[in-house]
Amino acid sequence: MSAIETKHQPQTYDSAFLKACRREPVPHTPVWFMRQAGRSLPEYLKVREGIPMLESCMRPELVTEITLQPVRRHNVDAAIYFSDIVVPLKAIGIDLDIKPGVGPVVADPIRTRADLARLRDLTPEDVHYVTEAIGMLTGELGSTPLIGFAGAPFTLASYLVEGGPSRNHEHTKALMYGDPQLWADLLDRLAEITSAFLKVQIEAGASAVQLFDSWVGALAPADYRRSVMPASAKVLESVASYGVPRIHFGVGTGELLGLMGEAGADVMGVDYRVSLDEAARRVGPGKALQGNLDPAVLFSTTEAVEAKADEVLAAAKRLEGHIFNLGHGVLPTTDPTALTRLVEHVHTRTAV
């Protein structure tokens, strides 16, 4: 057990979630859901009413309440810290906002070497509200682990270069191919910022961290290896000494699973397009897998949801470690009751 675990997480060390991350025997397959805290819950919509997204991420008491809501309701095996991947960018002074129905929008995109100067170092004081909220959360969660998270350098870069969400990432790829040195320097700066953000969360008491590379599925494997993997590996290595599990997840990344595994995570998140047994073959030995029910399945009948969940569990039978999750985030109009039933089903079906 590392010094950080000894200091902050003695209660959570033997949880089913952390055991699965470490590829140890578990009492049942642990379950949590990406985007479990938030938009699908009526109690979330009530407490967020009239409060802009970024502001809600900076109010420790509100963050604590929102993070706890799905733990209370669904009996999931881990909480995930309520935030947004652009919070560290906002904290260092980037002029951006999260527009409802659109996503993060950057006022002045970063596309030149002079623009790099706007990406200063992130300090713990910049995100003091994160430290405060995690302190409150770990006190409330007890033996339930808290997952911290951050956006990976490529995805953050794509928002900064495009100026917002993009279907084709044309500005991002133009920079990556046209000025590879500037691109490498941009990702390295973002790796430093992301590393600092994850360290703040771990030192405040997070039991595990997840690095989200939401848009990296837009790349071919050769481009990922050459232009993205070094920065992601730098982030994952920067927190290795803490001894907490590191999860890595991207969307549409079936062709990249092996390379993303090489970047250094302990757990590979798998989206719903690749079965877990095939994902294990691509990733190779020595890592747990997380996933991977299609979130749209939750709109079907209870019988259909349970049948598809059983397919996921069957594909996970021979894995070294498995954390049940969706293959992407909970969709906004999902019936919360379907999630509660799914947790109960997985727990019951896999109980030792």
Side-chain angles (χ1 to χ4, degrees):
M1 192 183 295
S2 74
I4 288 293
E5 285 172 321
T6 303
K7 180 181 177 184
H8 292 289
Q9 294 109 22
Q11 291 175 287
T12 65
Y13 186 81
D14 288 324
S15 63
F17 169 74
L18 289 179
K19 280 177 176 286
C21 289
R22 298 192 301 265
R23 294 174 286 127
E24 297 173 0
V26 291
H28 59 262
T29 297
V31 187
W32 73 277
F33 304 115
M34 291 178 283
R35 290 194 182 273
Q36 66 185 19
R39 54 199 186 172
S40 68
L41 300 180
E43 56 265 41
Y44 165 80
L45 298 174
K46 184 176 180 181
V47 297
R48 266 285 319 279
E49 198 170 353
I51 305 172
M53 178 61 184
L54 279 171
E55 184 183 335
S56 69
C57 295
M58 298 174 190
R59 295 190 184 185
E61 290 185 353
L62 184 58
V63 168
T64 300
E65 169 59 23
I66 292 171
T67 303
L68 290 172
Q69 285 175 348
V71 180
R72 295 190 200 114
R73 180 188 272 263
H74 302 314
N75 193 33
V76 284
D77 293 277
I80 184 161
Y81 182 74
F82 176 77
S83 187
D84 190 273
I85 63 170
V86 299
V87 163
L89 300 179
K90 183 72 171 180
I92 61 169
I94 298 297
D95 185 359
L96 60 81
D97 195 13
I98 299 175
K99 297 193 181 298
V102 178
V105 176
V106 179
D108 299 304
I110 288 181
R111 295 177 185 169
T112 69
R113 181 156 295 280
D115 292 333
L116 279 185
R118 289 154 53 197
L119 295 174
R120 67 166 176 83
D121 290 343
L122 178 81
T123 69
E125 292 71 32
D126 292 323
V127 287
H128 59 88
Y129 43 85
V130 173
T131 300
E132 186 178 343
I134 290 179
M136 295 167 68
L137 275 164
T138 52
E140 292 279 347
L141 284 166
S143 60
T144 302
L146 175 67
I147 304 167
F149 81 92
F154 176 82
T155 292
L156 294 179
S158 72
Y159 279 120
L160 288 170
V161 175
E162 300 291 339
S166 172
R167 184 181 297 273
N168 298 310
H169 307 279
E170 54 266 42
H171 296 293
T172 305
K173 291 184 177 182
L175 178 59
M176 183 174 73
Y177 298 136
D179 193 340
Q181 188 56 57
L182 175 56
W183 173 258
D185 292 344
L186 170 60
L187 258 65
D188 191 65
R189 291 293 302 120
L190 291 170
E192 294 283 352
I193 292 163
T194 300
S195 298
F197 191 52
L198 289 178
K199 288 175 182 178
V200 165
Q201 294 174 72
I202 296 168
E203 291 180 6
S207 296
V209 290
Q210 177 157 310
L211 189 65
F212 282 89
D213 216 345
S214 308
W215 305 128
V216 79
L219 296 181
D223 290 331
Y224 176 83
R225 180 185 285 281
R226 178 176 54 247
S227 303
V228 174
M229 188 172 159
S232 293
K234 180 175 181 175
V235 174
L236 292 165
E237 175 58 29
S238 76
V239 296
S241 64
Y242 289 104
V244 303
R246 300 158 297 166
I247 310 167
H248 198 13
F249 174 76
V251 184
T253 51
E255 296 299 319
L256 304 179
L257 281 172
L259 290 171
M260 290 178 73
E262 286 180 35
D266 306 294
V267 181
M268 274 305 305
V270 183
D271 78 8
Y272 56 88
R273 296 167 180 85
V274 181
S275 66
L276 289 175
D277 48 359
E278 172 60 18
R281 188 190 68 77
R282 296 182 189 186
V283 171
K287 297 185 189 300
L289 296 188
Q290 177 177 280
N292 68 337
L293 185 72
D294 184 342
V297 169
L298 289 160
F299 290 81
S300 191
T301 63
T302 299
E303 293 74 21
V305 172
E306 292 180 356
K308 294 299 285 184
D310 288 345
E311 288 180 18
V312 171
L313 293 172
K317 264 275 192 279
R318 294 179 180 82
L319 300 185
E320 296 180 55
H322 177 223
I323 299 145
F324 191 98
N325 205 313
L326 302 180
H328 200 185
V330 174
L331 296 169
T333 54
T334 303
D335 179 358
T337 306
L339 290 166
T340 307
R341 284 196 299 256
L342 177 57
V343 174
E344 185 178 5
H345 176 76
V346 173
H347 284 172
T348 302
R349 187 55 58 96
T350 60
V352 175

